[in-house]
């Protein structure tokens, strides 16, 4: 028998498509097991300010297909302070919450880790971020939707790039990680990809471009990860233009388009599995861990490891992207 009776769920940090599917799975699994479940609104800010209410099965109807997060989200300043965390604890205490599911990225896990050292309420983290940069899981909730969105955008850009013989630099999100850029680049057949994890220089790209022209190869698409070492897409485009004044160059920044939209089937299933497993883990007495799926198996990583260890890009994929761009 589980001692857990009342759990809470919240979303925090940047929203990601599939967060709603995860919330739905948490609520329905909890209700199935006769637990009371509460939604905390606007992430840690809501925990600090007491913005919490009971959720029933019907409250999560018709949300599995919606992007964003119905629980809203925030990057909370108050929760960074001991006073804020004390207020958050009082909110949980006042509602008799004995377990929490926190859906978000590294910042969310860091908050949970600090809080759990101060107050003895178990948290289970679910990786909700388009960046896919969380250690301890193959994929994060929202990543698949984000790369499908950016690939669709790049396909459209390619049509106009081809028609005008223009070179496009397309910037994608990913903060300090290149997962979105790498997968967008491979999936859209880009000529080159600037990643935070590799050291491609402007000179190298210029050289590749010149060689392509000699071989009469159409090279019109470069994907730029926002966190790469050479600057943003505008800056890279400026430097390439300086070295190659005859090139017709354009820049597109996909930006927050990648964060919105209806989650893909992959994200809905991933989020549902994770939300469902999180409740079962709390009931078994787990806490202080980030839930992930590795090789199709549910896994748990201590928050400390999930926060401090880096999830590396697959080097074989980076090499493959170069070869296929020949
Ligand atoms: O972490 C998700 C993400 O979309 C990153 O890819 C990006 O760097 C950042 O959030 C943007 O944050 P904000 O929406 O707060 O500007």
């Amino acid at each position: 028998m589980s001692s857990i009776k009342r759990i809470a769920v919240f979303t925090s940090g940047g929203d990601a498509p599939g967060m709603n599917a995860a919330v739905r799975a948490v609520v329905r699994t909890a209700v199935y097991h006769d637990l009371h479940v509460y939604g905390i609104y606007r992430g840690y800010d809501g925990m600090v300010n007491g913005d919490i209410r009971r959720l029933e099965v019907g409250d999560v109807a018709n949300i599995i297909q919606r992007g964003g997060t119905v629980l809203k989200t925030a990057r909370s300043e108050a929760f960074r302070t001991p006073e804020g965390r004390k207020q958050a604890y009082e909110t949980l205490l006042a509602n008799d919450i004995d377990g929490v599911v926190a859906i978000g990225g590294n910042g969310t896990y860091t908050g949970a880790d600090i809080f759990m050292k101060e107050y003895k309420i178990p948290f289970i983290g679910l990786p909700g971020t388009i960046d896919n940069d969380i250690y301890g899981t193959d994929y994060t909730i929202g990543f698949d939707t984000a790369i499908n969105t950016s690939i669709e955008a790049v396909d459209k850009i390619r049509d106009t790039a081809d028609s005008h013989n223009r070179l496009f630099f397309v910037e994608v999100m990913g903060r300090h990680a290149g997962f979105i850029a790498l997968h967008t680049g491979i999936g859209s057949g880009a000529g080159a990809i600037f990643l935070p994890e590799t050291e491609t220089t402007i000179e190298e790209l210029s050289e590749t471009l010149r060689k392509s022209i000699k071989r009469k190869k159409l090279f019109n698409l470069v994907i730029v990860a926002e966190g790469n070492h050479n600057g943003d897409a505008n800056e890279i485009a400026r430097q390439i233009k300086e070295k190659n004044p005859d090139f017709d160059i354009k820049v597109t920044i996909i930006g927050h388009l990648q964060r919105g939209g209806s989650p893909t089937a992959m994200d809905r299933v991933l989020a549902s599995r994770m939300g469902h497993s999180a409740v079962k883990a709390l009931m078994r007495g787990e806490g202080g861990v980030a839930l992930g799926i590795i090789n199709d198996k549910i896994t748990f990583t201590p928050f400390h490891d999930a926060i401090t260890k880096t999830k590396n890009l697959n080097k074989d994929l980076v090499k493959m992207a170069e070869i296929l761009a020949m």
Side-chain angles (χ1 to χ4, degrees), residues 47-270:
M47 205 183 286
V48 173
N49 299 321
D51 198 356
I52 179 170
R53 75 173 171 84
R54 176 108 181 252
L55 296 176
E56 300 285 3
V57 170
D59 291 317
V60 290
N62 203 20
I63 66 167
I64 194 168
Q65 78 283 16
R66 285 170 60 187
T69 161
V70 293
L71 293 182
K72 314 282 183 178
T73 187
R75 302 192 200 273
S76 175
E77 283 307 316
F79 196 78
R80 291 179 201 274
T81 66
E83 300 75 39
R85 291 194 293 279
K86 182 160 185 292
Q87 266 178 262
Y89 175 65
E90 277 156 16
T91 298
L92 298 182
L93 205 62
N95 289 279
D96 285 329
I97 300 298
D98 37 32
V100 180
V101 180
I103 309 171
N106 264 311
T108 309
Y109 289 2
T110 304
D113 192 42
I114 296 171
F115 186 83
M116 273 197 66
K117 288 187 177 122
E118 297 170 340
Y119 304 102
K120 303 286 166 233
I121 296 183
F123 276 53
I124 301 275
L126 296 192
T129 168
I130 62 166
D131 299 341
N132 202 32
D133 60 345
I134 307 268
Y135 181 87
T137 190
D138 287 340
Y139 295 106
T140 57
I141 297 166
F143 173 66
D144 187 63
T145 309
I147 56 174
N148 275 284
T149 300
S150 55
I151 287 174
E152 193 184 336
V154 173
D155 285 349
K156 290 180 176 161
I157 289 166
R158 195 194 262 280
D159 287 345
T160 173
D162 280 357
S163 307
H164 285 264
N165 242 345
R166 281 175 169 159
L167 173 61
F168 269 80
F169 288 83
V170 182
E171 184 178 305
V172 296
M173 280 185 167
R175 211 183 282 267
H176 310 298
F179 295 96
I180 295 179
L182 179 61
H183 285 247
T184 303
I186 292 172
S188 60
I193 311 170
F194 278 85
L195 298 165
E197 294 85 350
T198 58
E199 298 282 343
T200 315
T201 63
I202 300 291
E203 193 36 64
E204 279 164 354
L205 179 62
S206 281
E207 182 60 25
T208 313
L209 285 167
R210 282 193 291 269
K211 280 188 188 152
S212 308
I213 291 169
K214 258 197 199 143
R215 287 167 46 216
K216 298 208 176 343
K217 176 191 185 282
L218 191 62
F219 185 132
N220 53 13
L221 204 55
V222 178
I223 304 296
V224 177
E226 64 174 338
N228 88 92
H229 304 289
N230 293 286
D232 63 15
N234 280 307
E235 174 55 21
I236 295 175
R238 189 191 64 73
Q239 291 190 38
I240 291 288
K241 181 80 180 167
E242 212 171 76
K243 290 186 187 298
N244 310 274
D246 47 328
F247 284 2
D248 186 0
I249 295 179
K250 297 281 174 188
V251 174
T252 300
I253 295 170
I254 302 184
H256 286 79
L257 257 180
Q258 287 149 106
R259 284 249 294 265
S262 180
T264 58
M266 290 293 283
D267 271 330
R268 295 180 198 195
V269 174
L270 182 83

Side-chain angles (χ1 to χ4, degrees), residues 37-52:
V37 54
Y38 288 74
I40 298 170
Y41 289 78
R42 298 193 184 281
Y44 286 116
D45 268 353
M47 205 183 286
V48 173
N49 299 321
D51 198 356
I52 179 170

Side-chain angles (χ1 to χ4, degrees), residues 298-315:
I298 300 288
T299 56
F300 297 93
T301 304
F303 278 138
H304 181 262
D305 289 355
I307 299 158
T308 53
K309 294 189 176 171
T310 303
K311 178 170 166 188
N312 295 318
L313 274 190
N314 181 338
K315 287 202 185 100

Side-chain angles (χ1 to χ4, degrees), residues 2 4-7 30-31 33-37 54 279 283:
S2 166
I4 300 281
K5 299 269 179 297
R6 290 155 81 102
I7 66 166
V31 171
H33 290 289
D34 292 328
L35 308 183
H36 287 189
V37 54
R54 176 108 181 252
V279 175
M283 290 176 68

